[in-house]
Structures are given as C-alpha cells and as structure tokens.
Amino acid sequence: MPSAILDAIYCRRSIREYTAEDVPPDQLHEIIRAGCWAPSGLNNQPWRFVVIRDAAVRRRLADQTHYGHIILAAPALIAVYLDPAAMYNDVKDHQAAGACIQNMLLATEALGLGAVWLGQILQNKDQVNTILDLPPHLDLMAVLAVGHPKHRNQTSQRKTVEELLLKEL
Amino acid sequence: MPSAILDAIYCRRSIREYTAEDVPPDQLHEIIRAGCWAPSGLNNQPWRFVVIRDAAVRRRLADQTHYGHIILAAPALIAVYLDPAAMYNDVKDHQAAGACIQNMLLATEALGLGAVWLGQILQNKDQVNTILDLPPHLDLMAVLAVGHPKHRNQTSQRKTVEELLLKEL
C-alpha cells in the first residue's frame, strides 16, 4: 500500500507558526495546481486564486480577522475564491471548494511546507475583496496561510469511525 | 519530495466501472477514517456515514439517480451526510464535507481501489433517507461508489494555474 498518501492525510496538521524562510512562487503555483485537480460537479472548476506575499497587503488583511497574527507570521497567503459565473449549485460548489482546499493542504505537506485553513476572515469578505482590488461578485471561500513550519509538535483529535458510522447495510 | 501524494492528487480519476471483486468492510472503514481526518471549522466534524453493500438496497438507491448504472455496478457505496446538530455554518460545513470526500477519494487510490463522487442523487435526498431508514434531518452530501477499477484509461482536463490565478501581490 502506498502509505505516503494515507500518512499525509492522517499526519497533516494545521501549521500556524513559521520560520522566516520565504515560499517561492513556483511552490505556491504547485499548491494551486493540486487544488485545481480536485473534482467539481460537471467539472465546472469554479475556483479562483490570489497569491499574496506582499507584506503591506498582508498587514491590511491581518486586520480583518481574529487570526491576524497568523497572517502576519506567514510568508505567503493563498486566497481561494469561487467565481459565481462558473458556479451551478451552491452546496456542490462549496463542497468543490473544500475538496480543492484539502488538495492544497495535502500538497503543502508533500512540499515539506505547512499551512492552515483560515475561515473566520469570511466575516469581512467584502473588505478582503476591497484590499485585494477584486470585483465584489467574487466569493471568498478561505485564506490559506503557508510557510515553513517552525515546529511539528501539533496534535489533533478526531471522533472514531465507530462514532460516525450511522449504519452498515 | 514525497511525490506519491502529488501523484495521487494529479492521477486520481473518477472510476465508474468495476470488477466483480468485493470491497471488504475494513477497507471501507479505512476510507471513512481518511475522510474523518479532514479539517473542519472549530473541528466540529459534522460528517456522518452509511456503508451500503447490500444488493437490494443498492437497487433501490439506483432508481434515485440518472447514474443508477454506476450504483448497480459498484460493490460498495458510502453515503456521506452532515448532521445539522453538529453544524455551525452552512458554507463552512459544506466545504468541510468536500474536504472529507476528497480525502476519501484519495484514500481509495491509496488502497488500489477506485471511486466516483455522485452528486446528482441529491435531487432525491429525501427518498434516499427513506430507503436507508434515516431520520429526515440528516442531510445527504454525496454518495461515493467504490470498487476495483475495471480499467484505468480515464482521462480528464483542467484549466491551467495561469487561467485561474486572478493576481499575485
């Protein structure tokens, strides 16, 4: 069994502290490419991306969330959007965004990087579009903070399969 | 670079034709476990699962979607639900379901199996709950058809990163 895949799924953790080392654009593009290979309903690929490495822009974005310290600490951000012009079903397109983001998180593991999925910033998604100079119709799904992990001592918990499996027929 | 992860992300295809070989419960549980290790907002883990291998139940489910032939062909199905009692935000919980499902699809690859994410059946999600004898408040997110791939000659297309990257700051 090629356990690297399952290892990445089970061992991936949200990384919120980073070294000062930069993340070059080609690695950020690889993370986005991994996201793009998620499945989407009708293969509509509704996702769009913004890469942010500029420190001044990151400072402005940091003010839009309780987790601003993570945005300030991360050398790179990837904002994930849905383009309503490419969408066909809200629930399925939001699911597709989640599948895309999960691929991106796993790709950061594959590249030896760390990331965290930031969702609380959606409360100020209009302001985020203003800061990024994007048209208001684009719908922010999440911001990923990406960097080199300062450490890897994160732990996490999940319910067991037995708790979540409603029935077997 | 542990490219097995990126390989799985880039080479995974929707598998719609299966051999007659069964998929044992322990492999289906492993796929569900992989799904459970997706991130969710506030780590609320809103996902729930039903495993279906019974042929009579599969026949009844097949009548609920245009893709019934896939449901009939697959030796196993995993229905993915959200439990509203565990949800906190529709958009974020639907994203979490998508991240969970993507982990499950990648896990099928890791196990040498194949799967396809079926969403069209959501048009009859109330009937699906009736067939599975589940309370109506549980919200069907998708059905995964799982089996041993009959072949692996599937192809797929994606837009390029350049087409989907709105800007770099």
Side-chain angles (χ1 to χ4, degrees):
Chain A
M1 179 169 58
S3 63
I5 301 164
L6 292 173
D7 284 351
I9 287 171
Y10 294 138
C11 300
R12 182 202 60 78
R13 294 289 176 273
S14 295
I15 303 293
R16 299 177 173 85
E17 296 174 277
Y18 315 93
T19 70
E21 190 177 351
D22 197 14
V23 180
D26 65 316
Q27 289 196 314
L28 298 167
H29 294 179
E30 188 76 41
I31 292 166
I32 292 170
R33 187 172 296 112
C36 296
W37 275 93
S40 54
L42 311 179
N43 197 20
N44 67 336
Q45 306 171 63
W47 35 66
R48 303 291 183 268
F49 307 92
V50 178
V51 164
I52 304 124
R53 295 163 72 238
D54 182 88
V57 176
R58 284 191 285 120
R59 275 195 297 275
R60 294 181 66 196
L61 291 174
D63 291 337
Q64 303 304 320
T65 169
H66 299 324
Y67 301 98
H69 59 287
I70 299 172
I71 285 185
L72 289 176
L77 309 170
I78 304 174
V80 181
Y81 279 86
L82 290 182
D83 181 352
M87 292 172 67
Y88 83 113
N89 176 292
D90 280 2
V91 171
K92 293 178 186 177
D93 289 320
H94 293 153
Q95 290 177 343
C100 169
I101 293 167
Q102 181 63 8
N103 268 4
M104 296 171 75
L105 294 174
L106 293 172
T108 63
E109 291 287 312
L111 295 170
L113 299 166
V116 62
W117 175 343
L118 300 172
Q120 195 269 339
I121 196 170
L122 299 193
Q123 74 172 6
N124 289 324
K125 60 184 183 175
D126 294 342
Q127 293 92 316
V128 172
N129 283 34
T130 300
I131 292 167
L132 299 180
D133 193 22
L134 292 171
H137 70 276
L138 290 170
D139 195 15
L140 183 65
M141 288 287 105
V143 172
L144 270 62
V146 182
H148 294 263
K150 190 173 250 179
H151 56 80
R152 289 224 181 241
N153 60 5
Q154 297 82 7
T155 59
S156 191
Q157 296 290 327
R158 290 294 187 282
K159 297 182 200 299
T160 64
V161 170
E162 291 67 28
E163 290 175 274
L164 298 166
L165 183 56
L166 299 170
K167 59 174 72 181
E168 297 191 83
L169 302 172
Chain B
M1 178 170 58
S3 63
I5 303 164
L6 292 173
D7 283 353
I9 288 172
Y10 294 138
C11 300
R12 181 202 60 78
R13 293 290 175 274
S14 296
I15 303 294
R16 298 176 174 86
E17 296 173 277
Y18 315 94
T19 70
E21 190 177 351
D22 196 16
V23 180
D26 66 317
Q27 289 196 314
L28 297 167
H29 294 179
E30 187 75 43
I31 293 166
I32 291 171
R33 188 173 296 114
C36 295
W37 274 93
S40 54
L42 312 179
N43 197 21
N44 67 336
Q45 308 172 62
W47 36 65
R48 302 292 183 268
F49 307 92
V50 178
V51 164
I52 305 124
R53 296 164 72 239
D54 182 88
V57 176
R58 286 191 285 119
R59 275 195 296 275
R60 292 181 67 197
L61 291 174
D63 291 336
Q64 303 304 321
T65 167
H66 298 324
Y67 301 98
H69 59 288
I70 299 173
I71 285 185
L72 289 175
L77 309 171
I78 303 174
V80 181
Y81 279 86
L82 289 183
D83 181 351
M87 292 172 68
Y88 83 113
N89 176 292
D90 280 2
V91 170
K92 293 177 187 177
D93 289 320
H94 293 151
Q95 290 177 345
C100 168
I101 293 166
Q102 181 62 8
N103 268 5
M104 296 171 76
L105 294 174
L106 293 171
T108 63
E109 291 286 313
L111 296 170
L113 299 167
V116 63
W117 175 343
L118 300 171
Q120 195 269 340
I121 196 169
L122 300 193
Q123 74 171 6
N124 289 323
K125 59 184 184 176
D126 293 342
Q127 292 92 317
V128 171
N129 283 34
T130 300
I131 292 167
L132 299 182
D133 193 22
L134 292 172
H137 70 275
L138 290 169
D139 194 14
L140 183 66
M141 288 287 105
V143 172
L144 271 61
V146 182
H148 293 264
K150 190 172 250 179
H151 55 80
R152 289 223 182 241
N153 60 4
Q154 297 81 6
T155 59
S156 191
Q157 296 290 326
R158 290 294 186 283
K159 296 183 200 298
T160 64
V161 170
E162 291 67 27
E163 290 174 276
L164 298 167
L165 184 55
L166 298 170
K167 60 174 70 180
E168 296 191 83
L169 301 172

